[in-house]
Each structure stands twice: as C-alpha cells, then as structure tokens.
Amino acid sequence: MIEKTNHQKTIYVFLLSIVTMFLVLACGTGPGGRDVPEWVVQRPAPDADSYYFVGSGVADIQPEAEDIASRALIGEIVRFIGVEISSETTATARSSLDSYEAELEEQVRQKGQAVVSGFTIADSYVVQKDDEVIVYLLGKYDRGRLESEQQRFQDIFQMKQDAVDVPAARGERLFEQGRFGQALPFLFEAAAAAQVSSIENAEIKFDRSTSIARQIIESLAIEPQVLQVQVDLNTQLPEPIGIRVYATRQGTRFPVSDLPFQVTYRELRNQRMVVRTARLLSDEDGFVYFDLPPTNYSGKQEIVFRLDLYSAIEPLREGGDRYMSRVDALEEAASSVSVSIPLISVSGARSRSTVVLAADIDQTGAVIDGQSTAQGILAELTSAEFSLVEYAMPVDRLAGMSNSELLALMRSENENKPEQAIERVI
C-alpha cells in the first residue's frame, strides 16, 4: 500500500514536472532574452484609433517563416474585410483584391515603407526552437482607413450579387406589368449572370428567370396583316408588309411591343439568288412593318418574320451541359414564333409580246440537234404564267440576225406584232 502511494507520488511529481517545463517553454524568451510579447499570446483588441492583426509562420529557415507569417497576416485582414474570391468572381473584383493583397505584402516586406495608407508592421517576434523558426508579426491598421477599404470591397463584391438580382427583379417587375418585350432582355441578362456566378442559389435564380422568359415566349402569337403580296417586277410596294404580335395572359389578349424580329427575303445578285435579312422591333401597338425593296426577279418567294432572340439565348450556353436542356427548350420555343407571307413578283413582260429564240450549241459554237435548252426555257416561262406561241424556223435563216432584225422578221410573219426581242445565243 505504501509502495503504491509512493508510486502515485512519483507519477504526480513527474507529470507536474512536464507541465512546468511546458509552461516555461511557452513563456520563454526570444533572441536577446526578450520576453514573449503579450500580443503573441493574445491578439490586441481594437482601440479607438486602430485594428490589430497577428500572423505567424513556422519553417526551417527564417525567411520562409516570415513569408508564411506575412500571408497569414494578410489573410486575417482580408477575412476582416469580409470578401471571398472564387473562380466565378468578377474580373474587376478579383483584380482589385489581388492588387490590394500585393500592396499589403509589399508593405510587410518593406516594414515601414508607406505602400498601403494607414497600415504598418508594429512589431515582430522570432523564436528559434530546435530545428524550426517561428515568426510572429503584429500589424496595425488605422481604423478609419481599414473601414473605408472594407466598404470599398463590399461595394465591389456586391456587384456579383447585383449582377443577378438587379436585372432579375426588373425583368419580373416588367413581366407583372405586362411589358413582355421589355422584360425579356433583363431576364436573359439575369440568367446569363446566374449561370457563371458563385452566389447562393444561383441555379435556382437561373431557372426562375428562364422559366419566366419561356412563359412569355410561349404566350406569343403572330397575325399577318396580309395573306399574300403581289408586286410588279422592279416596282416598290405602295405600303410595307406588316404583322402584329400578341400575347395572351390569364385569358386576356394584348399587343406586345419591343420584341426583336428578323425578316428574311431573297433577291437576285450577279445571277445568283441570295438571302437578305433585316432586324426590326415591334412598335407600341405590336406591329412590325417591313419595307420590301423592289424585287428584281419574277416568281414566288416567302417573306419570313421570325422572333429573333439568338443573341440573347446563345450566351446561356456558356454554362455548359448543366444548363443545356433548359437553353434548348428556350431556343425551340423562340424558333416557333414565326410566320411566312407569300410574295409573287410579276414581270411586266407578260403583258408584252416577246420573241425568244433558243438553240443548243456545242463547244465550238456550232448549232446541234436537240431542244433541251428551249424546253427548259419554255418550262420556266410556263411556270411564270406566260402565254406561249411556238414557231419553228431554220436556224441558218436566223443566225447572225440582230435583235431588231429578228423583231422585224417576227412582226412581218406574226399578226400579234411582238413588241420586243430578248438577247439570245445562236
């Protein structure tokens, strides 16, 4: 029993020695016998004039420990400011914070050089312990200066939240007011910002904005103001071609302004058919009017009015596969809002008797048997609703004739007295 008691006393004394040794080490002295500063153990509370920050670093050599301590000190300041960098942070905010941190680091390294206004390294403490070096740094920051920086960065980083919330709120407000055409650009802007943002509930905000946009698009209907247009070749239409755009909401039908439309039509350029486009907005009464240029070829075509949201929807694809199905649904809904109006361009030649001479020739220019060229021309003229009268004449009789000579010959042999002859190759 006595041995057990002595053993317990021995253990107690040994443990007491360990605690005592630890306390001595923790409260030991640094180089030159300096006592451990109080700020190393407990960071100073802010006073009326300044805030205080402490950073520490441990490494094999002092310069490396100082670098670690510097980064820790700067991290404490940034945490106080209350901003966080992520991969989606705006370039402006990231650049501003990077620049600020670089200036703080320069200030720490130069110890006293006024790089960041109001900030200084007030003290440092180094402990050599076994094979390691521990460096402590005390930073002192003027209260007014630091609070100004804090407000500046919060304003900059608030832009990330505002980039989503501000256009979303405005778009939803316009939607509730029934101003659909004006609401769409804000809804798309909010969705584009949300899909690349790190803000809380970013995907939910994307879904909300795109859902309202799709609801608007699917409510749209187009009424053409004419069912078909007929115009003489190379003649300006007396009035523009028009459509009217409506939306239906809760059983009420109303015109929609400020919607972008693309109009497509065709014209002949250098003997080739090309597609032309024009971009127009619906007016306050929902009308979209298009002044068609004079057509330069006879025949039929379609004048197509199509809701043009490509430039607004395409940026939403930058969010990747995660959002793709929702973007595809938007695009499909937009592409269905279109209407085609038939246009017939009538040649004045149909009311004038015209001589057309056609013959097939070989590579040397010699006339060959066959009527494939003539039959092709006849088919085109028939489809254009010309009335045709065919004449068969020996080619050798016609070869070398000018248009005027050909016209004179046909007038002498035709009671209908043709008015013109067209260029031909013999």
Side-chain angles (χ1 to χ4, degrees), residues 25 59-60 127-134:
L25 286 173
D60 295 336
V127 176
Q128 182 74 47
K129 182 180 179 182
D130 298 329
D131 296 330
E132 292 182 329
V133 179
I134 307 174

Side-chain angles (χ1 to χ4, degrees), residues 279-335:
R279 200 167 189 271
L280 304 167
L281 284 176
S282 57
D283 65 18
E284 60 183 7
D285 296 315
F287 287 106
V288 181
Y289 290 111
F290 173 58
D291 285 307
L292 179 71
T295 56
N296 57 0
Y297 74 97
S298 60
K300 295 180 180 179
Q301 65 164 300
E302 301 286 332
I303 308 300
V304 182
F305 291 77
R306 180 178 290 107
L307 182 64
D308 184 15
L309 296 177
Y310 176 84
S311 61
I313 294 176
E314 197 60 22
L316 302 184
R317 298 192 178 279
E318 295 178 7
D321 295 341
R322 179 181 176 186
Y323 297 95
M324 200 58 68
S325 62
R326 286 163 282 188
V327 177
D328 288 341
L330 268 176
E331 197 167 67
E332 183 178 351
S335 65

Side-chain angles (χ1 to χ4, degrees), residues 133-196:
V133 179
I134 307 174
V135 173
Y136 298 90
L137 298 175
L138 174 64
K140 180 181 180 181
Y141 213 131
D142 177 80
R143 176 183 283 269
R145 297 283 188 180
L146 182 56
E147 291 175 352
S148 294
E149 288 292 346
Q150 183 182 46
Q151 186 61 53
R152 179 171 76 91
F153 278 106
Q154 287 178 354
D155 290 344
I156 292 173
F157 277 74
Q158 181 62 33
M159 292 168 57
K160 183 173 63 172
Q161 183 79 36
D162 290 348
V164 178
D165 291 347
V166 171
R170 190 168 183 184
E172 291 180 29
R173 186 166 58 252
L174 290 167
F175 169 69
E176 292 300 326
Q177 295 171 355
R179 298 158 67 182
F180 287 1
Q182 296 174 42
L184 281 175
F186 292 106
L187 294 170
F188 285 127
E189 181 185 346
Q195 69 172 348
V196 296

Side-chain angles (χ1 to χ4, degrees), residues 12-62:
Y12 179 79
V13 169
F14 178 71
L15 291 176
L16 182 61
S17 299
I18 292 176
V19 173
T20 304
M21 288 172 64
F22 174 78
L23 291 174
V24 168
L25 286 173
C27 300
T29 58
R34 180 186 177 190
D35 291 336
V36 178
E38 185 179 345
W39 60 263
V40 170
V41 181
Q42 178 68 42
R43 187 179 80 176
D47 55 36
D49 299 319
S50 304
Y51 287 96
Y52 298 92
F53 301 92
V54 176
S56 63
V58 181
D60 295 336
I61 58 176
Q62 184 168 332

